[in-house]
Structures are given as structure tokens and as C-alpha cells.
Amino acid sequence: MRRPPVIQAAAVALLTLLIPAAGHLFLINAVSRRIHAIDSEASWSGIRFGNDAVLLVDASLPGTGLSADSLWVIVEGVPFHAKPVMAVGAGGSLYSGQYRDEELSVSDGGGAELVLSLMDVSLADGTLLTGSRICGEYTCFLDGSWGSADLSMVSGGFTGVFQSVSGIPFTGDELPGPLAGHTVSGRCTGTEGNIWNVAGLITEIDGRPAQALFTAEADRGGLQSASLSMDFSQVSEPAMALLDSLTGGAVITAAPAGSLSVFLSGADSLFFTGALEFQELSVYREEIAPDTITTEAFLFCSGGVLPESCQLFVDTGMVRLNSAEVYFTLDVSWETRRMMRLFLYNHSLTGGEITSSVPDELMGSLNGLSLGGELDFAAELLLDWDYPDSSNFSIDIDSRGLRVNWSPVSFSRLREEDGGASCTMRDTWGNTRTISLDTLHNSGFVVFDSIPAHFEPLLCCAEDASFRRHSGFSEYHIRNSIRADMTEGRFVRGGSTLSMQLAKNLFLGREKTLARKLQEVFLTWRMERWLSKDRILEIYANIVELGPDVFGFDQAALYYFDRRFADLSVRETAYLVSILPGPKLYHRFAEAGALPGYWQSYVDRLISICGRRGWLDDDLVASALADTIVFRGARFIGGVDN
């Protein structure tokens, strides 16, 4: 049934009156609840309405000490869903209740302090401008445990500067991504409301000049997303300070270039892409090389961090030293399981790239080395701090295509039994000896066929069980070294094979540096190509340090037992093998004239293991275990004549 026009017009007029009235009632109720949440004794004599604001006349908040002729309450939302977000009274006192429950206190000067539940303190002053649309314009200084900021705010937006900021204001959260743990200063602009959007420029990191662009978005739940992009040339000072802190005392000079981009999504995922270049990089550290290294380096990586699951990953990475490139992936976890997995590879690394990329300071006696062809390698390292025995290392190298065009170190004379080769040895007592490596020039040189048959099993049991199977390097040795070092939390065991030990003794000094280790790797690879296993073992047995000015097992046999190497018993040979890691340290046994019980047990263990592996027959093992060590007139000063 159609309503009469008069009734329809009356209904429209009634709704026109009731809807605003109802909206005002909802708004009054919302404002009243919010003000009474601040002070339950709050009162006012009247209410006036404006666009986006409510004016409370003769307002009094005795619990806070505030009394004002007028108190403006800024609101957001439509009438039926209005939300009071800010109160401004006479004298410019400010109250903001947008994010958390706070307490308001008013200073004698009419300013206001906003005390947050996190004990952050914000000071503000300002005025309200009225017009066809009531809005707030004010400036404020914010200061708290997170840092400080000077902001100018108007119509839902703000601009300003911030100083020494270490966290997200009013949230208790630290800065995201690579800025965590650092302080930043700069300028910003943004909008406020249910969602805050901020963009700006970081001009200082930890007090050092920088240039980094950032954006951030936050709501009631905290930081929702953020991005950071920087040019490393604009943050060279903080970047170098960070590099210094990570390199443990190395002296580094460089001019970094490149870029870093970081994107944070919510609280549980951060993604990054970075490219860092050092065109002139100088590094000095005693453990690396005796001289300052000068080179060029480049690093690219792309990955992410998952804070909730405590994981970091690099799914695409590449490091380049001069022209040699190595690709990598990386996975790190912490908290529930502290692990790191690193995978390195290059399927076509050329010899020219290798020799042109290794700095001269690392080459040492190999300076001028020229390589050709190429090699293919892949290596995987797993470190497990919670379960060290799960740590692992594996490597696959195909060097068949790699060739030596020229080397300053020659192995041709070493290969020949009468080639006239010699080496200079220096012991830990400071004695030096030049030893000829053939019988023509050294009547005391013991050829392989004259070495006792039980010598190799005992030596390999103690030093290199896979000597006859590897090509100079042993994954087993490296793996066990890593596990022992992880268990002890320090370096306690090396991973050198007999071939590596011989390469070091023949060509290198005693310094423990990265440079020496790199040279040792090349020389070992080269030596395994030139010398047979028998020749390697033969030279090793004739030059290794075993006492003060005592080199080789034949001299040691005379020095400790007054007999030749070929005449040593199994137990006597096992003893000499047992002191190889530290002849000077264990020399005290001979000085005392007897072995302590724990070292007798170690010698027994070497012999027993050889028996269990089938390297020594049962009768020989039984006889050796029943034998005793007797030092026969060992001379403690000077050498032994051949």
C-alpha cells in the first residue's frame, strides 16, 4: 500500500533529525568513555560538535591536574563508528590514545607529558586552528628509550627529523634487518591514522655519515612491512666499522661500493639482495700473511631471514677475488639447533683465473706461477655446534684439466733417486740441517726397500690412515679435525696428510698463516703428480724432525736406542711414530729414561689398532705388546753422525 505523500515527507523529516542525533549520541558516548578512561572523575559543562572534533566546555580532569576552558577531542571514523584519537586542551596539552593505554600528566607550564606503558616519554605543544573544517596542527618533540624525534604534524600527516633511534617508537621493537643493534638518525615524512606510513632518509648510522632510503608501514599490531636501500659508497664509514668488528683485529683499508636492498614483511620474514665491491682492498693480519695483502673483491648474495624459526639463508651467492669466482649457498639456524651449512662450487674455474687472482703476498715462494686449463670443484661444509660429531665436510675436485705452465718450484730432481736434490730442515730447538735426498750424496739415506715393513702401518695408523688411497688430501682428516675443534671450541687438531706434511717440510717455513696453507695445498697437489707414494714415504722417513738436531728415523733410532732404523723393534718404531706431533714436548720422556703409563697405553693402542686392521700379524702384535721401551744412552745435545 502506497503511503500518502504527507506521511512519506514526515518520515523523511523524522529520519533526517534522528540519524544525526543518534550519531551524536554514539559520538558523545565514545568520547565520554575515552575521557573517563583517562580520569574517572572527569567532567564538563557542555558539548559542541564540529567536523572531526568535539569541544568539551569547562572541562576538568582532576585526576591528571588538567582544567581547561575548552578541551578539543579529535575523532576518526563515521558517526556510528567514531573513535577518539587525540585530546588538546588550553595551553596546548596533548593526549594521544591511538596505540596503547597511556597516562596523562600536565606540567605547570601548560605543556603535557605522555607517559607510555613502555616508560617512553613524549613532550608536545601546539594549537588548534578552526575553520570550516576543524583540524589539528602541532609540533612535538618525542623522546624515549628508542631515541628522539622532532615532528610537525598536520591533517593526518607529519614531517620531521629523528636522532639516535634504536627501535620502533612506542612498540618496544628493535630496528629491523641490518639496522638491528645500531642507532640511526635522519629525516622522514609520512601519514598517521589506523595505518602509519613513513618514508625517509637515514643520514647517520652509529654517528657516522650515511645515505640510506627507507619506508615503513605499521598498524596497531606493530611494524607490518619495511624496506631499506643503500649505496655502500654512501655508508662507507659504518660499513668499514662493521667490517672491522667482524675481522677480529685485522687492519683493513678499502673504499666499498655497491648496494643493499632489504624488505621486511610482517614480523616473520626479511628478504635481502646485496652487491658489495672493494676495488682497492688492503688487509693485514699476522695469521693471514706476513705482508699487507692488496686485492679487489666483490660479493653478491640474495636470501632472507626468518626470525620466528631462527633461520638465515642465502639461496644465490657469489664471491669474486680479482677474476676468480666462487658460487655459494648458505643456511644458518640458531636457538633450537645451532647449525651452518655452506656449499661452494665452480664448474669451470680456469688456471689463469686462479693465478691472476691470488695476491702476490699469498703466493710467497710460488710467485710467478702460471696455470692453464681449468678445474671443476664442489665442496660442502656442515658445522653443528650442538652435536659436533654431526659436523661434516666433503669435496669433489676434478683437476685433470688443470696444468702447470711454469712453476718456480721443481719436483723433477726429487723424483730421481740420484738427482742431487736436497732440503734444509730446521727443528724446534733452532738447529738447521741441509739433507741430501739420495744415497749418492748422503750415505745415511735409507731407501724405501730398506725401511722396516712394520714402519708404514704404524706411521699411517698415527698420522694418515688413507695415505695409499688419497691424492694428497683426505676428507676423513679434515672431517675429524673439524669435529675435534668444534667439540673443544678451539683449534686442537690439524687435517694434514703425510703428503701435506712433506710438502711443508721440503719447501715452506714453520709460520702458521693462511698464505702458507694455500702454498702447501698447491705443492701437495703438484708433488702427488710427480712422486710415487713410495718416494713420498721414503723422503718423509729421512727428513722428519724427531729430536734436537735429529732428522729422520735412522738418526732417531741411533739417538734414542743406539741402533739403526732397520733394526728397531715394532714397539720402538711405534714410540718414534708417537712423538711425531711434538718431538720437543715429548723429549722429556727420554730425558727421564722411562715412559709414563699413559704414553705406554698410547703406544699399545697404536700397535693394537694395526693388528685389528690386519696391518700387522697377530704374533708380531703380541710380541710388541709384551715388549718394553728402554732408552740406551740417548744424547740430548747435538746431532747424530751418519
Side-chain angles (χ1 to χ4, degrees), residues 413-441:
R413 296 178 67 187
L414 282 173
R415 184 163 56 182
E416 301 170 10
E417 294 183 359
D418 58 353
S422 64
C423 68
T424 300
M425 295 294 296
R426 180 181 177 86
D427 65 21
T428 49
W429 283 267
N431 302 299
T432 301
R433 178 86 65 84
T434 298
I435 303 173
S436 296
L437 303 178
D438 58 63
T439 56
L440 182 63
H441 301 88

Side-chain angles (χ1 to χ4, degrees), residues 36 96 116 134 171 185 199 222 338 356 359 400 471 584 614 616 621 627:
H36 282 102
S96 174
L116 303 184
I134 299 176
T171 68
S185 301
R338 298 175 299 161
S356 66
R400 292 173 297 179
S471 299
K584 188 172 185 178
L616 297 176
V621 170
D627 197 4

